[in-house]
Amino acid sequence: MATRLLSQARTILYPVPMPRWHLTRRLFSCAGDTPASAVPVPLGSLARRLLSSGVSGAPAVASLPRGNLARLISSGAGGLSAAESLPTPLPQLPAPPTWYHVVGLTGFVLVGVQWLMTDLLSLRLVAMCSSLLFIVYNLKAVRPPLLLPIAANFVFILINAAQVVILLLACTELDLQTHERLLWDHLFSQAGLSQRQMRALLEVGSLECVRAGEALPHGRSGTGAEGGPLTLSLVVDGIAAVYVGSNKQVATLGRGEFCGEMSFLDESRLPVAQVVATETVSFVRWDASELRAFFANHPEVHMCNFQLVNLHL
């Protein structure tokens, strides 16, 4: 510690570079010591030696920190009067109010609650509240305020607000067409889809109609090893009979039921049944490749439609 003190004193008292032992000899010569005694000593002993010639208060000065002692030496003044002229330490800032910490803790609790939520609208709203609490905490409880977390949480609020608007628009009632109303009341209202999502799904396909005695397209149609395009059909209105083998009827299909779903789930599987309309049947037909591309961009619709197909297997 005395060596570090000498380095600071050399910088203050003698700007011109000189060896440490030379500086030590000069300092001790001022205090009445011989150069022979210029050996490393503790900080307290050095202070007492420097201030022993006619200087009062050496024991008090001996307890000064290293930086204050160096300034005392450079000032040329002695004793407690120089020590008293040193700057006082800055006062400590008061502790923040307790409610600041409550705000920050509540924000983290809401982040944990989000992992337990399944409703998207509620999740977005809770996320906005947690981000708002983090902004308040970083503005009030932290000095100086942390601008980066504040800006990040502000962006999160904007993103979640936009998603809330989208979800609210998706929940609004639409002026449904006849076939949309039939499917909504009978099927899609129970699947967790919104009317806008249902309309987007139906617009990927085409609304078609067959007369009594005509077959409904499903699975792979056509001839050849691979057959024709893979299709999936959904009955909107009417009744169709399912035949296997030598025209043996095994089931009937009505409103809200799929045909061709097995081939859609497993493309390597060719249809073994024939679906024939017993009366005029209207249905929605999807091309499998277009429907898969739609599901890739709308995973929530894919999940709901997958559950519907499994219920009708």
Side-chain angles (χ1 to χ4, degrees), residues 160-182:
N160 284 296
Q163 293 297 322
V164 167
V165 172
I166 293 174
L167 291 174
L168 291 177
L169 290 176
C171 295
T172 56
E173 293 286 335
L174 300 178
D175 186 13
L176 300 177
Q177 301 179 19
T178 303
H179 72 285
E180 293 175 336
R181 176 59 63 183
L182 292 174

Side-chain angles (χ1 to χ4, degrees), residues 180-200:
E180 293 175 336
R181 176 59 63 183
L182 292 174
L183 291 176
W184 174 258
D185 293 338
H186 192 81
L187 182 65
F188 288 109
S189 61
Q190 307 168 10
L193 290 177
S194 66
Q195 292 184 354
R196 292 182 183 273
Q197 291 172 326
M198 181 198 68
R199 172 170 287 181

Side-chain angles (χ1 to χ4, degrees), residues 206-268:
S206 59
L207 180 63
E208 301 181 11
C209 184
V210 295
R211 297 185 180 90
E214 297 180 352
L216 274 70
H218 66 285
R220 291 193 181 276
S221 59
T223 59
E226 296 183 355
L230 180 62
T231 60
L232 175 67
S233 298
L234 173 63
V235 178
V236 176
D237 196 19
I239 301 295
V242 181
Y243 296 94
V244 295
S246 56
N247 294 331
K248 179 181 179 181
Q249 181 177 348
V250 294
T252 57
L253 298 178
R255 180 180 301 162
E257 294 188 285
F258 293 91
C259 58
E261 67 275 9
M262 296 302 298
S263 298
F264 179 77
L265 296 175
D266 184 4
E267 295 188 16
S268 63

